[in-house]
Amino acid sequence: MSRIFVIGNEKGGAGKTTCAMHLISALLDQGYKVASIDTDLRQLSLTNYIKNRELYNQKNPDKLVPQPCHFYLTTKGENDEDANLLLFEQKLCDARNLAEYIVIDTPGYHSLLSKLAHSYADTIITPINDSFMDLDVMAKINPDDLSIISPSIYSQMVWEQKMQRAARDQSSIEWIVMRNRLSQIDAVNKRNVGYVLEKLAKRISFKIAPGFSERVVFRELFLYGLTLLDLTTANLGKPLALSHVAARQELRDFLTCLGI
């Protein structure tokens, strides 16, 4: 059976597609067969990333980078919920027949497709920026003493999809929250977010993963469809810098947390 990773967060701008593409690239780099599914009907960021990767390969046949088997849904018939759900399940079935790992990118808003994708996850990965604004989709926080008032909309949705998965095939879903775009500078806000996340992890059962620091290399290669793991083989004329080495270590630490 393929292992399914779902990258999800109902707040946009948290780095879901960046996380998804680096996970895909890392799995391909280790020689695994990988499939990817984009459920963001409008933005299709992961699909565009992979199309850029295809274009790079066409232009550089002597410096090819590995590609996942990619599937995506479009806005055609987007108001037909039953048709979209059926199409997603068909594409997921096709992906399972082709790959050892499946990575599903979801939109930064609530949708039926996103809920369905979460319910099929073996592991949900939630990138979250290091701010209480981003944390608000996961929990309501008391500003006076940083106590947790209640789980918020996204946490409730994840719990519901865990129940759906258990009802469907008696399987459980692992949930990992990844602190993303961390500042290199220690700050009160950074410590406070970490403190609240640790308390929340115990309350609603998720694991905190080491995330990616605020580094240009995690974003600058989008137009080429590449990631930092491709820099040693890609024809970009871009030498490896110390910051790239540090970024690769962050990615390795993340993969270790995932058990890869």
Side-chain angles (χ1 to χ4, degrees):
M1 294 292 290
S2 305
R3 182 178 177 186
I4 301 174
F5 291 106
V6 172
I7 318 299
N9 186 339
E10 287 187 13
K11 185 182 184 304
K16 291 187 297 297
T17 300
T18 299
C19 174
M21 195 62 218
H22 278 79
L23 177 56
I24 290 166
S25 179
L27 291 167
L28 290 169
D29 186 61
Q30 294 190 28
Y32 292 110
K33 296 178 181 178
V34 182
S36 52
I37 302 177
D38 193 345
T39 63
D40 190 340
L41 297 182
R42 292 190 176 276
Q43 197 162 335
L44 290 174
S45 296
L46 182 61
T47 299
N48 291 330
Y49 209 138
I50 291 172
K51 285 181 177 178
N52 291 343
R53 196 173 179 87
E54 291 174 353
L55 185 59
Y56 164 84
N57 275 343
Q58 291 171 15
K59 292 180 178 179
N60 299 275
D62 58 329
K63 295 285 186 177
L64 296 177
V65 293
Q67 282 278 71
C69 300
H70 186 63
F71 303 87
Y72 65 95
L73 288 78
T74 68
T75 55
K76 183 178 180 181
E78 66 177 316
N79 295 322
D80 189 339
E81 296 174 358
D82 292 338
N84 271 295
L85 296 180
L86 179 61
L87 183 59
F88 169 80
E89 290 179 338
Q90 289 174 340
K91 291 184 181 295
L92 181 60
C93 181
D94 292 340
R96 278 175 161 162
N97 289 331
L98 293 170
E100 298 164 273
Y101 286 94
I102 300 170
V103 179
I104 304 177
D105 195 20
T106 61
Y109 54 83
H110 177 82
S111 73
L112 286 175
L113 274 177
S114 180
K115 286 174 59 177
L116 185 67
H118 278 71
S119 77
Y120 277 99
D122 295 307
T123 302
I124 295 171
I125 302 172
T126 301
I128 182 169
N129 291 329
D130 225 37
S131 76
F132 282 102
M133 185 179 296
D134 282 48
L135 198 56
D136 190 61
V137 299
M138 296 185 62
K140 297 300 180 185
I141 308 299
N142 187 323
D144 297 324
D145 59 4
L146 298 182
S147 61
I148 299 165
I149 299 171
S150 65
S152 196
I153 52 173
Y154 182 69
S155 299
Q156 292 169 1
M157 189 274 281
V158 169
W159 176 257
E160 291 167 1
Q161 301 323 304
K162 284 185 175 184
M163 297 301 100
Q164 288 285 342
R165 176 69 189 273
R168 183 189 301 123
D169 57 16
Q170 294 78 52
S171 296
S172 60
I173 297 175
E174 177 187 35
W175 187 13
I176 294 176
V177 174
M178 168 190 171
R179 293 179 71 183
N180 204 23
R181 294 175 179 163
L182 287 166
S183 169
Q184 299 293 325
I185 301 172
D186 187 31
V188 173
N189 177 78
K190 184 177 179 180
R191 292 196 298 270
N192 286 344
V193 170
Y195 169 74
V196 171
L197 275 175
E198 287 178 5
K199 291 203 301 181
L200 190 59
K202 295 175 182 177
R203 178 162 173 176
I204 59 177
S205 299
F206 61 75
K207 181 179 179 182
I208 302 173
F212 302 153
S213 298
E214 182 57 50
R215 301 182 190 275
V216 175
V217 70
F218 286 122
R219 303 185 305 277
E220 67 177 343
L221 300 175
F222 168 79
L223 292 177
Y224 299 98
L226 303 176
T227 73
L228 65 95
L229 290 178
D230 301 309
L231 288 178
T232 54
T233 56
N235 185 21
L236 288 180
K238 190 179 183 70
L240 278 175
L242 285 177
S243 62
H244 298 155
V245 176
R248 287 171 70 96
Q249 184 58 51
E250 289 179 358
L251 182 55
R252 281 194 291 267
D253 291 343
F254 175 61
L255 295 174
T256 299
C257 184
L258 297 180
I260 300 173

